[in-house]
Amino acid sequence: MTEPETGVQHPAETEAAPHDNHDNRRQVLYWRLLARLFDPEEQAALESASLAVVEDIGLPPALLDPGASVDSIVQRHPELAAEFDGLMVPEPEPAADPTADPDPDADDTRDRPAEVRRAALVSKVLLNVFATGTGAVSAGQLARWQSDAGWLERALGCSPGDLRGGRAGGGRGVGPTGSGGNGRTPDLSRLIPQIGPELGALEGDLVKRMHLREVLADPALAARLTPSMSLIEQLLRDKNNLSGVALANAKALIRRFVDEVAEVLRTQVEKTTAGALDRSVPPKRVFRNLDLDRTIWKNLTNYSPEEERLYVDRLYYRHTARRTTPQRLVVVVDQSGSMVDSMVNCTILASIFAGLPKVDVHLIAYDTQALDLTPWVHDPFETLLRTNLGGGTDGTVAMALAQPKIAEPRNTVVVWISDFYEWRGEALYDSMAALHRSGVKFIPVGSVTSSGRGSVNPWFRERFKDLGTPVLSGHIRKLVHELKTFLT
């Protein structure tokens, strides 16, 4: 005979259930990691279960996106940077007492919810670094891998680049806090195989798969390339690794693309409505300005019916001078990896406006550091070669360069191009609002692309709208119109 079920659980069973639940969640995340490492195809059951776990513990679903770099996640969720630092450094084990009896309840002291959260973060770093795929690799993909490898080194308690042969830079934009380890000295001697040589081998394989360098080294093959935004992005990212014939061909491709885009933008600038006529300036007395209709009308009293002739004693000319005042244009561009299209377009656009009379143009590019590109603003080609795409976003460093350039606020326009996913968002917004209140024409731009696509941080979008300076997003023609209206 069996006893009937009463529905009452034993105390031990009740206590074990939460532990089992956390252990199961952790196992799901690690099983998904193994599955994605050995098979790029998604396992639907593991993906859906992992998504439920990540959302339940309050982490962003982007952790499960293989295409999202750790940099991009930390940029949108800065609080996670401290968790990635020293993430995989083991806690020092207390010295064992050989005379003490083993504690049967020692396992109950584990922080199982924290272990689940740690499993989600560890899985993200390991998957991004070790799942490199196959086939050709672009310069952007290499830069992203180097950045993710830097985060893995930080998770192991090292500085980015240390494990890959002691190089100082393992990828740009490695977060806003610290350099890994949380103050603890890592002991990596027990790692099998040694992690450093493995990371170096992975990086070397990615570089070998970058066939673009081979194409650039052959002038005949390089001449067949059609310049495009994606190609220019790869060239700008990899320009520091090129030399000789490859570098010369890369510069030629960038120059071709810049000239083509500049021609289109110059036409748009010329077609945009100019400023009002300035009738205080006497018209220039040349034939092309002759107002024939007005001249005839004003001289009709001199018409001789007998001779059937009109005698003209005064010529009238059209006013062509436009009312202009000296203006200063300060363009600030986010040069992080997501803003490549905007960087190229705005660099070229700044050079076109720099060629207009009485317009003083300044150009600043930034990621976690700011660079004043004003000396080269007339040559977009040289400007682009001095940019360094990728990394995080800290607009406060760019604001520190821009503010001293504003001598007369009411004759100054500041164009700020970014997706506004900032590390110090509130401080940057406060300084932007102060510029607007001082009389500066402040134009926040979410993107300036040829296709009109763009993405903007909703937090900034709402606040700019309340400030009365809504974010300008979309096709570059919108920005051309805004600038031409103010400057001419």
Side-chain angles (χ1 to χ4, degrees), residues 89-100:
V89 176
E91 295 288 344
E93 297 179 1
D97 185 0
T99 62

Side-chain angles (χ1 to χ4, degrees), residues 197-241:
E198 289 297 318
L199 290 178
L202 282 173
E203 186 175 25
D205 179 64
L206 291 172
V207 173
K208 289 179 182 178
R209 287 155 54 189
M210 288 184 61
H211 300 313
L212 179 60
R213 294 183 187 178
E214 299 177 11
V215 174
L216 292 173
D218 186 332
L221 292 176
R224 298 176 189 172
L225 292 175
T226 301
S228 64
M229 188 62 72
S230 59
L231 176 61
I232 297 306
E233 176 182 353
Q234 292 186 44
L235 295 176
L236 291 177
R237 288 186 185 276
D238 201 37
K239 63 181 184 295
N240 293 330
N241 297 319

Side-chain angles (χ1 to χ4, degrees), residues 276-283 294 317-319 321 323:
L277 291 173
D278 188 354
R279 298 191 180 277
S280 65
V281 178
R294 190 174 179 220
Y317 296 87
R318 298 185 184 91
H319 289 266
R323 186 171 295 137

Side-chain angles (χ1 to χ4, degrees), residues 156-177:
L156 291 169
C158 303
S159 297
D162 282 356
L163 298 181
R164 285 169 284 159
R167 295 193 307 277
R172 293 179 50 78
V174 281
T177 61

Side-chain angles (χ1 to χ4, degrees), residues 339-351:
M339 300 295 293
V340 175
D341 202 341
S342 295
M343 183 73 211
V344 173
N345 278 293
C346 288
T347 298
I348 298 171
L349 190 61
S351 70

Side-chain angles (χ1 to χ4, degrees), residues 247-302:
L247 180 59
N249 288 330
K251 288 184 176 181
L253 284 168
I254 296 174
R255 172 70 76 181
R256 280 170 55 194
F257 184 79
V258 166
D259 291 344
E260 290 173 5
V261 176
E263 186 62 30
V264 175
L265 293 182
R266 192 174 291 110
T267 301
Q268 294 179 2
V269 170
E270 292 171 353
K271 288 182 177 179
T272 310
T273 304
L277 291 173
D278 188 354
R279 298 191 180 277
S280 65
V281 178
K284 193 172 183 179
R285 297 176 180 273
V286 294
F287 178 75
R288 69 172 179 272
N289 291 340
L290 178 64
D291 190 339
L292 188 59
D293 291 341
R294 190 174 179 220
T295 298
I296 293 174
W297 177 257
K298 291 290 187 180
N299 288 280
L300 281 179
T301 56
N302 299 329

Side-chain angles (χ1 to χ4, degrees), residues 38-93:
F38 293 102
D39 185 358
E41 294 296 326
E42 291 186 359
Q43 303 295 324
L46 287 174
E47 293 294 330
S48 60
S50 299
L51 179 61
V53 171
V54 167
E55 290 180 337
D56 190 57
I57 60 179
L59 289 174
L63 281 175
L64 301 179
D65 181 7
S69 66
V70 179
D71 255 351
S72 64
I73 292 174
V74 171
Q75 186 176 345
R76 286 161 174 76
H77 306 276
E79 69 280 0
L80 293 180
E83 293 190 54
F84 279 111
D85 269 340
L87 176 67
M88 302 170 69
V89 176
E91 295 288 344
E93 297 179 1

Side-chain angles (χ1 to χ4, degrees), residues 287-333:
F287 178 75
R288 69 172 179 272
N289 291 340
L290 178 64
D291 190 339
L292 188 59
D293 291 341
R294 190 174 179 220
T295 298
I296 293 174
W297 177 257
K298 291 290 187 180
N299 288 280
L300 281 179
T301 56
N302 299 329
Y303 179 69
S304 172
E306 294 82 7
E307 301 178 28
E308 294 184 352
R309 289 186 178 183
L310 177 66
Y311 291 91
V312 177
D313 56 14
R314 181 181 176 185
L315 297 174
Y316 291 85
Y317 296 87
R318 298 185 184 91
H319 289 266
T320 56
R322 300 288 176 176
R323 186 171 295 137
T324 62
T325 56
Q327 306 285 1
R328 174 162 291 187
L329 170 63
V330 181
V331 180
V332 184
V333 187

